[in-house]
Amino acid sequence: MKLKLGFSPCPNDTFIFDALVNKKIDTGDLEFEAVLEDVETLNRWALEGRLDVTKLSFPAYFKTADRYALLDSGSALGKGVGPLLISKGKQTFSETEVNAAKVLLPGVNTTAHLLFSFAFPDAHNKVFGVFHGIEEAVVEEDAALGVIIHENRFTYQDKGLIKVKDLGEYWEEKMNVPIPLGGIVIRKSLGTDRFNQVNDLIRASLQYSFDRYPEVSAYVKEHAQAMQEEVMRKHIDLYVNNYSLDLGTEGKKAVDTLSGIYNRIHAGA
């Protein structure tokens, strides 16, 4: 049986899925057709029900929970891993100034957007774009503020940009749970046996990569061509951890907490 599997080309995802899609582990009667896209495209496709198994931001999962089930393996959660609010030349912004400023965010369905809305519920001058273009847009002053994710956490200072607020740190202080960024879901119609099989295969694929780390495979490098190997490792170290192997009780509590905030924000929208 062939399953369409969507994930991003970022090092944390290619690190997790390398052994699975490149048949370095035995996948039994399953074959995976990998589709690599940026996370907001994957979010949109999840809303359209295009893929059998996919990475997505948690707000997109909350919108599609009637169709998709969250797997225990493959997620991106952690502490100190959240999105950053940045500016070009000013570090201190009052809440009133943030609320009035033009803010560029990486997609309406991203966890970054939800965490920004959690910290600044009255900010409404929001513009959305692809995550890897946000740094440059702030440099060019197309927006006063930007919310960055992924490898941009490691590169924004090189471009003279300044951290205004760590949105993940704010979440951790207020909610006292890890930051749930993204998860892996499977189409519910595939049934419990396939859920368990895919869950075990993703965990085995990740364990394969962990067992060989800090080696970075050719597959990871291929999809992170503009990135130095040191940055790839920082990316993997930050976003791939024990929650990626198994959400566990603490991880599931964090997802439930984020779901509650999502429902509260959207109830008041």
Side-chain angles (χ1 to χ4, degrees):
M1 183 180 188
K2 180 181 283 189
L3 298 179
K4 276 195 170 185
L5 166 65
F7 54 93
S8 83
C10 295
N12 58 306
D13 282 351
T14 51
F15 182 81
I16 290 171
F17 290 105
D18 177 13
L20 183 71
V21 300
N22 293 306
K23 299 183 178 179
K24 297 176 181 178
I25 60 171
D26 182 2
T27 60
D29 65 337
L30 287 181
E31 185 178 344
F32 294 88
E33 179 186 342
V35 181
L36 278 67
E37 284 289 350
D38 70 276
V39 70
E40 185 62 1
T41 298
L42 296 174
N43 289 339
R44 190 175 69 251
W45 286 359
L47 295 174
E48 297 170 1
R50 286 200 194 185
L51 301 173
D52 300 307
V53 182
T54 187
K55 171 74 174 282
L56 80 180
S57 302
F58 277 108
Y61 164 60
F62 302 146
K63 290 182 180 179
T64 59
D66 60 330
R67 183 185 299 138
Y68 288 107
L70 179 65
L71 293 166
D72 294 321
S73 58
S75 286
L77 283 81
K79 298 176 181 178
V81 301
L84 304 178
L85 181 66
I86 59 162
S87 76
K88 183 176 181 181
K90 182 180 174 185
Q91 185 166 23
T92 303
F93 284 73
S94 68
E95 188 169 340
T96 300
E97 287 176 316
V98 174
N99 291 343
K102 180 180 176 182
V103 184
L104 185 57
L105 294 126
V108 68
N109 296 302
T110 60
T111 306
H113 179 207
L114 180 55
L115 292 176
F116 175 77
S117 299
F118 175 65
F120 299 100
D122 296 320
H124 299 297
N125 189 9
K126 296 182 281 193
V127 181
F128 299 95
V130 180
F131 81 90
H132 53 71
I134 291 176
E135 277 185 342
E136 197 59 38
V138 176
V139 168
E140 295 297 324
E141 300 183 6
D142 294 333
L145 295 162
V147 175
I148 56 170
I149 58 175
H150 297 326
E151 63 269 15
N152 296 134
R153 284 182 60 99
F154 311 119
T155 59
Y156 72 96
Q157 290 173 312
D158 296 338
K159 297 183 179 180
L161 300 173
I162 300 167
K163 180 176 71 175
V164 175
K165 193 176 189 71
D166 186 323
L167 299 174
E169 188 177 273
Y170 180 80
W171 165 266
E172 290 181 68
E173 289 172 356
K174 295 294 183 182
M175 308 311 292
N176 198 32
V177 292
I179 309 155
L181 298 174
I184 310 296
V185 297
I186 184 169
R187 199 187 298 278
K188 284 184 174 180
S189 60
L190 290 169
T192 302
D193 289 346
R194 289 301 186 193
F195 177 102
N196 292 332
Q197 183 182 14
V198 172
N199 197 60
D200 290 345
L201 286 172
I202 293 173
R203 184 177 292 119
S205 180
L206 174 54
Q207 190 61 59
Y208 181 98
S209 292
F210 270 149
D211 289 346
R212 287 151 183 80
Y213 195 66
E215 175 189 334
V216 177
S217 73
Y219 186 72
V220 174
K221 292 176 184 176
E222 173 191 347
H223 293 286
Q225 293 176 1
M227 209 182 293
Q228 295 180 345
E229 202 166 310
E230 179 189 356
V231 176
M232 293 181 210
R233 289 196 183 91
K234 284 182 179 178
H235 194 111
I236 292 165
D237 291 342
L238 194 65
Y239 296 113
V240 188
N241 51 39
N242 60 308
Y243 298 114
S244 306
L245 284 169
D246 193 323
L247 279 171
T249 302
E250 189 179 25
K252 290 175 181 176
K253 179 185 175 184
V255 174
D256 287 344
T257 302
L258 189 68
S259 176
I261 296 300
Y262 172 86
N263 291 331
R264 189 181 80 190
I265 288 172
H266 284 268

